[in-house]
Amino acid sequence: MEDRTRRIRIAVVLELVILSIQGWTGDTVNLFAKYPAFVSIGNLQQYISAITGVGGIAPVLIWHEAEALLLVAVAIAVFAIALKTRERQLVILSLLGLASIISAIVGGLMFVLSGFADNAGSAQMGGSFISAYA
């Protein structure tokens, strides 16, 4: 049991570090990207054009998206470790964290696919980030 507790603590710290970096890159993209007035995104080529069209901040935006995928993997690992502990509180909290991260990704995806126009998706991303961090 001690080994599992140690592993989940390490995984949660890793998750919090990645979430912190995710927050910084998200703020950077939010403040400094030059979003086009409207971009129709219906396929991969249009998506790539939209991402590269945000100006010199495109690498940070791409990194921000990669961090999201890494966060999902770490959150799944935290949840799996929590399941092995059989501690109901850990299982519930890790599931809430995973759900919050997935909600943030859905909000971000809605924002990007709307041509950076869906402010509700952006707000969902930010609110879900706060929830995951908590």
Side-chain angles (χ1 to χ4, degrees), residues 26-38:
D27 285 346
T28 300
V29 168
N30 185 38
L31 294 171
F32 300 111
K34 305 289 186 229
Y35 296 114
F38 181 77

Side-chain angles (χ1 to χ4, degrees), residues 31-61:
L31 294 171
F32 300 111
K34 305 289 186 229
Y35 296 114
F38 181 77
V39 178
S40 174
I41 300 176
N43 61 42
L44 184 60
Q45 183 178 2
Q46 290 170 334
Y47 170 77
I48 291 169
S49 293
I51 295 300
T52 56
V54 298
I57 204 76
V60 178
L61 179 57

Side-chain angles (χ1 to χ4, degrees), residues 1-2 5 8 30 36 43 48-51 53-54 58 72 81 86 88 92 104 106 112-113 115 118 128-129 131 134:
M1 183 71 97
E2 182 64 34
T5 304
I8 200 164
N30 185 38
N43 61 42
I48 291 169
S49 293
I51 295 300
V54 298
V72 169
I81 296 167
R86 298 184 190 270
R88 183 183 290 176
I92 290 170
V106 169
V112 171
L113 293 179
D118 181 9
S128 296
F129 161 78
S131 175

Side-chain angles (χ1 to χ4, degrees), residues 30 104 107-108 110-112 118-128:
N30 185 38
M110 290 185 327
F111 179 66
V112 171
D118 181 9
N119 289 330
S122 182
Q124 177 179 333
M125 182 172 41
S128 296

